[in-house]
Amino acid sequence: MLTMARGWFRRSVFKTIRFLKHPRKLRQRPVMRWFARHFLDKHVWRPTQHTLAGGTAVGMFITLQLLPIQMPTATILAAIFRVNIPVAIALCWLSNPFTIPFIAWLEYAIGKWFLALYTKVPTTPFPKHLPESMVDAWMVLKEHAPVMLVGGIILGAIGALISYIATWGTWEVTSRMELAKKLRAAKAAAV
């Protein structure tokens, strides 16, 4: 019974993929055209210098935003910018239950510093414990969420820029090292 269900499931998945990838079906509907152009493009699944660096930038930006839907957001942004989707999704796992307190504190500190330059910031300290009632939680969120949002955007932009440059540079250095190694091997073989 289980084998029969697995076979049916595999057949239905393959039929669906074949249906979705058929060129006539992809051209018929605007949503399917968008999906095919962004998600079925081979460049967003293969790591090249541009797509890998862009995927790390998108993934780093999204992981530093404390959103509850980081992976779908990273997937959609990576598809829109046509960068490596698996890398963008994998980097969303950097913000996990162990790193979120540090990221939240850093976002709050950066947001408070930046907003203090231009406007009034919350004077009440950030709570050390969760509020007991929903009304208190809403009041804390209403007061401190904009500060964390601004801090997250600034921290995410800086992290994305640094990760893009680091990934691009690492790819460049390793490719040059491989080329130099091949040239040395060719010289040694010629002698």
Side-chain angles (χ1 to χ4, degrees), residues 5 23 36 40 43 64 78 85-86 113-114 144 154 173:
L40 298 180
H43 297 292
L64 292 174
I85 293 174
W113 169 78
F114 185 77
H144 296 288
I154 293 170
V173 167

Side-chain angles (χ1 to χ4, degrees), residues 128-163:
K128 294 188 185 330
H129 304 289
L130 292 175
E132 301 203 6
S133 70
M134 286 302 289
V135 174
D136 293 339
W138 177 253
M139 294 306 288
V140 167
L141 182 67
K142 182 180 168 191
E143 187 172 5
H144 296 288
V147 175
M148 291 187 72
L149 178 68
V150 169
I153 290 172
I154 293 170
L155 191 63
I158 292 169
L161 181 66
I162 290 171
S163 66

Side-chain angles (χ1 to χ4, degrees), residues 18-29 32-33:
R18 250 185 281 135
F19 172 77
L20 290 175
K21 287 181 84 172
H22 196 278
R24 268 184 278 131
K25 298 293 180 190
L26 292 175
R27 275 180 270 179
Q28 283 178 350
R29 297 181 189 95
M32 294 303 288
R33 275 194 304 262

Side-chain angles (χ1 to χ4, degrees), residues 11-88:
R11 281 191 306 277
S12 64
V13 166
F14 288 135
K15 282 180 184 177
T16 305
I17 289 172
R18 250 185 281 135
F19 172 77
L20 290 175
K21 287 181 84 172
H22 196 278
R24 268 184 278 131
K25 298 293 180 190
L26 292 175
R27 275 180 270 179
Q28 283 178 350
R29 297 181 189 95
V31 173
M32 294 303 288
R33 275 194 304 262
W34 185 88
F35 177 80
R37 189 171 57 242
H38 292 286
F39 287 98
L40 298 180
D41 185 13
K42 293 177 185 173
H43 297 292
V44 298
W45 298 100
R46 266 191 228 137
T48 62
Q49 187 174 14
H50 168 69
T51 61
L52 189 69
T56 58
V58 167
M60 189 58 71
F61 181 79
I62 295 299
T63 198
L64 292 174
Q65 311 303 313
L66 296 180
L67 301 171
I69 52 169
Q70 288 180 338
M71 288 174 53
T73 306
T75 305
I76 291 170
L77 281 178
I80 288 172
F81 291 123
R82 293 188 185 213
V83 295
N84 198 302
I85 293 174
V87 170

